[in-house]
Amino acid sequence: MADSLANRVAVRDRTVVAPATPVRARRSRARLVPLLYTAPALLFYAAFVIAPWLHSLWISFWDWNGIGVATWAGLDNYREILADPALRLSLVHAFGLILFYSVIPICFGLVLAALVANVPWKGMPFVRTVIFLPQILPLVAVGSVWKLFFDDDGPFNALLRAVGLSDFTRAWLGDFTWAYPAVGVVGTWVSTGLCFLLLYSGIGKIDPALYEAARLDGARAIHEFWHVTVPGLRRELSVAATVTVIAALASFDVVYVMTGGGPGESTMVPGVAIYRLTFTAGQVGTACALAVVLSLLTCAVMFALNRLTREKP
Amino acid sequence: MIRSLTRLSLLAATASVLVPFYAILAASLQPQDNLSPGLAWPSDPQWHNYVDAWSTGGFADLMRSSLIIALGVVPLALVLATLAGYGLAMMRLAVRGPIFALLMLGLALPYESIVIPLYYDLKSIGLLNTYWAVILPLIGAFMPFGVFWMRSHFESLPPELTEAAEMDGASSRQILREVLLPTARPALTTLGLLYFMWAWNQFLLALILIQDPAMRTAPSGLGKFIQAYGRNIPLLSAGTIIVIVPVVILYLFFQRHFVKGILSGAIK
């Protein structure tokens, strides 16, 4: 942003105060025109995303309850995140959700896509419509559906009773052991369709000659899967991983609605912790420190995934 | 063998998406004193639950607010993204790289990390509790996706298209309006639909930046509704379906745009 403003000022000065040769002036002006087109969008982005983020960073160095006078805290808020088991746990939970949001859906999606690619089917458009549905629903409504599904007297327990597993019925979301996987399953439900369709469309782009070559070499289906399909999907796999990992680390809606982080802290994630620290506990500085840590971790993971998949083209 | 295995697994995947919806639909039609709905279809469907949920949840106001917010975001966000996408596509300056990287970061940044300062900043300029409190930040947050989306559309066009106009001495504004925009309609439709859906569905920003419950988006209203009527499962189910239906209708009408937008938007 500063860059573009500085450039605009510079060019104005040059044309008014010290006009270069007309041709050169016009050319350099033309080179800067694209910046003018980009400026309004960047301005909005800087004002409502970058500036608040920097403000968050600033607040994170203060001890502030949101109303009174703030006192300088240095890195105390960051130390608290490491020291407080509940806050530390929220970060661990966020990373644990990667298993449910990314790993399981990508495995499911990959196997399903590889199977389907070999056997075209008329029913596919219908399947695609349904399977993509979770991507467009408000996550709050998704959370609400699953909260009811896992309710004490809800359909899931009814299902278990119907197949003779009454011993396993429980209040899933009130259970210290089972609430977390129950919340995680929702992530799997949301992400699987996306991963499947991403990978399925990727398989269509793999050069059929590669498969033919593998078959001429007498490769079996499994061999073909590992040596043609998976390497051919490198790009799609990395995209699926990036998108779903970001969703996992930023999960808020589903957890807020289903458990609010409970019972105890057993499903606490950073998003809910930030909300609570700010509006219930009055520890705005700590909330902002957690927000900074979360965003840095998210960017680091994204960067790592990017590197990992780019190394071998 | 493989063929039936494939179809079976596809059907299983489809069913696992649909079963929770069936369960909640069945639950929404149970009598409200039924605390244990199970999976059975009700013998006497209580359609009245929807009327009750609609009025107790204040969904008329919520839908209106969601619509206002979505319609406030979409036009301006589309214009800004188009201009910037065009600008970025023709930019040859050294700042292009940094601008790119900065926008990239925005794709990964969780809303949680900006919403708390936004709360205090918007409060201090008196915008808290207005629709603007959600509209403006959403436009900002939607820029990275939209700019990349429009840029890749403009870059996918053959260069001859603009070269001819440049030879004729057309200005960049004329090129954008008369040569490029006519080709951008499908890309803009897709982007507009995605923006609309994301704004309509927005939860966290509306929850924190708007305190008046009636002014929040439908999903935020649902969040509060769930906390208030936690034990009335039929009413909650009906409320959830009320919130889901508009988005699903939109999706069924413009399915191609949604699927293509999200799948290829992710890859770009």
Side-chain angles (χ1 to χ4, degrees):
Chain A
M1 230 8 264
D3 254 326
S4 82
L5 275 178
N7 276 325
R8 273 158 62 189
V9 172
V11 79
R12 203 178 299 147
D13 284 348
R14 206 185 307 158
T15 46
V16 177
V17 181
T21 58
V23 175
R24 237 165 99 208
R26 225 170 82 208
R27 200 172 288 157
S28 81
R29 195 129 118 250
R31 276 164 57 88
L32 290 171
V33 164
L35 262 184
L36 293 181
Y37 281 97
T38 322
L42 289 180
L43 197 70
F44 261 85
Y45 178 60
F48 295 103
V49 179
I50 303 295
W53 191 86
L54 291 173
H55 192 184
S56 193
L57 183 65
W58 176 243
I59 297 176
S60 74
F61 297 125
W62 296 82
D63 186 13
W64 187 40
N65 64 10
I67 307 156
V69 179
T71 51
W72 180 256
L75 291 175
D76 283 358
N77 289 322
Y78 291 91
R79 277 187 211 108
E80 190 179 338
I81 292 173
L82 289 178
D84 185 333
L87 295 181
R88 215 171 45 210
L89 203 60
S90 78
L91 288 169
V92 174
H93 284 155
F95 276 86
L97 284 180
I98 292 177
L99 174 70
F100 292 99
Y101 276 75
S102 312
V103 180
I104 299 176
I106 288 177
C107 293
F108 273 167
L110 188 59
V111 171
L112 209 55
L115 280 174
V116 177
N118 289 323
V119 191
W121 187 26
K122 275 208 307 268
M124 197 48 204
F126 171 74
V127 170
R128 183 170 57 202
T129 305
V130 172
I131 241 174
F132 197 72
L133 199 59
Q135 281 301 313
I136 55 109
L137 294 176
L139 284 170
V140 180
V142 171
S144 168
V145 168
W146 283 91
K147 183 185 160 78
L148 298 167
F149 193 74
F150 281 128
D151 190 87
D152 225 354
D153 305 305
F156 188 58
N157 278 341
L159 209 65
L160 287 177
R161 269 183 225 110
V163 294
L165 292 170
S166 341
D167 291 350
F168 287 96
T169 61
R170 65 193 75 219
W172 294 91
L173 299 177
D175 190 296
F176 277 85
T177 316
W178 288 99
Y180 183 69
V183 168
V185 160
V186 182
T188 307
W189 185 80
V190 170
S191 299
T192 302
L194 176 72
C195 294
F196 164 63
L197 290 177
L198 263 176
L199 298 171
Y200 179 62
S201 79
I203 289 185
K205 291 177 206 145
I206 296 177
D207 186 357
L210 290 175
Y211 284 104
E212 274 160 34
R215 248 161 251 165
L216 281 180
D217 289 346
R220 287 159 176 254
I222 300 278
H223 184 88
E224 217 175 87
F225 175 76
W226 283 115
H227 294 271
V228 182
T229 307
V230 174
L233 288 176
R234 201 178 184 89
R235 203 163 128 79
E236 281 77 12
L237 283 170
S238 112
V239 169
T242 309
V243 173
T244 53
V245 164
I246 289 173
L249 296 179
S251 65
F252 172 81
D253 308 22
V254 168
V255 179
Y256 178 88
V257 169
M258 285 180 79
T259 63
E265 312 283 347
S266 57
T267 57
M268 185 57 75
V269 290
V272 177
I274 290 168
Y275 182 81
R276 276 218 203 151
L277 282 169
T278 307
F279 295 105
T280 317
Q283 293 178 274
V284 184
T286 317
C288 285
L290 187 57
V292 170
V293 171
L294 177 68
S295 43
L296 291 182
L297 286 174
T298 310
C299 289
V301 172
M302 195 175 100
F303 185 71
L305 277 173
N306 219 327
R307 281 302 283 278
L308 210 70
T309 45
R310 204 183 280 168
E311 257 164 40
K312 282 178 245 156
Chain B
M1 224 292 276
I2 293 262
R3 170 175 296 230
S4 49
L5 187 75
T6 306
R7 292 192 180 164
L8 216 62
S9 49
L10 270 183
L11 284 178
T14 314
S16 66
V17 173
L18 289 178
V19 163
F21 286 110
Y22 164 78
I24 200 171
L25 188 64
S28 74
L29 296 171
Q30 299 283 356
Q32 285 183 35
D33 51 14
N34 183 350
L35 291 180
S36 166
L39 267 172
W41 190 256
S43 50
D44 177 21
Q46 307 283 312
W47 294 101
H48 202 263
N49 288 343
Y50 284 86
V51 181
D52 291 351
W54 180 266
S55 55
T56 44
F59 282 108
D61 283 337
L62 290 167
M63 295 275 180
R64 208 193 49 202
S65 301
S66 238
L67 196 66
I68 292 175
I69 290 174
L71 292 181
V73 167
V74 174
L76 192 52
L78 282 183
V79 171
L80 295 182
T82 307
L83 291 178
Y86 174 52
L88 217 53
M90 62 174 175
M91 191 179 294
R92 299 286 171 270
L93 295 168
V95 284
R96 187 185 146 102
I99 291 178
F100 239 81
L102 201 65
L103 287 171
M104 262 323 231
L105 285 182
L107 289 176
L109 214 59
Y111 286 148
E112 288 98 315
S113 66
I114 56 168
V115 70
I116 302 301
L118 274 175
Y119 174 82
Y120 292 104
D121 296 343
L122 292 167
K123 198 176 185 177
S124 68
I125 55 172
L127 279 182
L128 204 68
N129 295 330
T130 65
Y131 291 123
W132 293 112
V134 175
I135 293 175
L136 296 175
L138 276 185
I139 293 177
F142 284 174
M143 280 308 106
F145 184 90
V147 173
F148 286 134
W149 176 262
M150 291 315 294
R151 180 197 69 108
S152 74
H153 166 74
F154 289 132
E155 287 188 343
S156 72
L157 299 171
E160 299 85 54
L161 208 59
T162 51
E163 273 163 14
E166 266 164 34
M167 296 284 228
D168 295 343
S171 70
S172 61
R173 203 167 45 170
Q174 284 167 324
I175 293 179
L176 178 61
R177 216 175 30 203
E178 280 149 36
V179 182
L180 295 179
L181 268 191
T183 69
R185 239 177 94 170
L188 279 172
T189 311
T190 303
L191 185 61
L193 284 166
L194 289 178
Y195 275 170
F196 184 92
M197 183 258 293
W198 287 330
W200 175 281
N201 284 353
Q202 180 46 230
F203 177 58
L204 179 63
L205 295 184
L207 181 73
I208 292 181
L209 302 177
I210 297 182
Q211 299 293 312
D212 178 358
M215 285 173 64
R216 288 184 177 148
T217 56
S220 312
L222 180 65
K224 284 289 151 193
F225 190 65
I226 293 167
Q227 289 180 336
Y229 296 91
R231 291 308 303 163
N232 192 336
I233 292 181
L235 201 63
L236 277 188
S237 309
T240 305
I241 289 184
I242 288 175
V243 170
I244 287 177
V245 161
V247 200
V248 171
I249 291 177
L250 197 69
Y251 168 65
L252 292 179
F253 266 101
F254 298 103
Q255 207 199 121
R256 243 166 236 277
H257 283 287
F258 281 108
V259 176
K260 184 175 161 260
I262 292 180
L263 289 187
S264 58
I267 290 185
K268 277 167 186 165

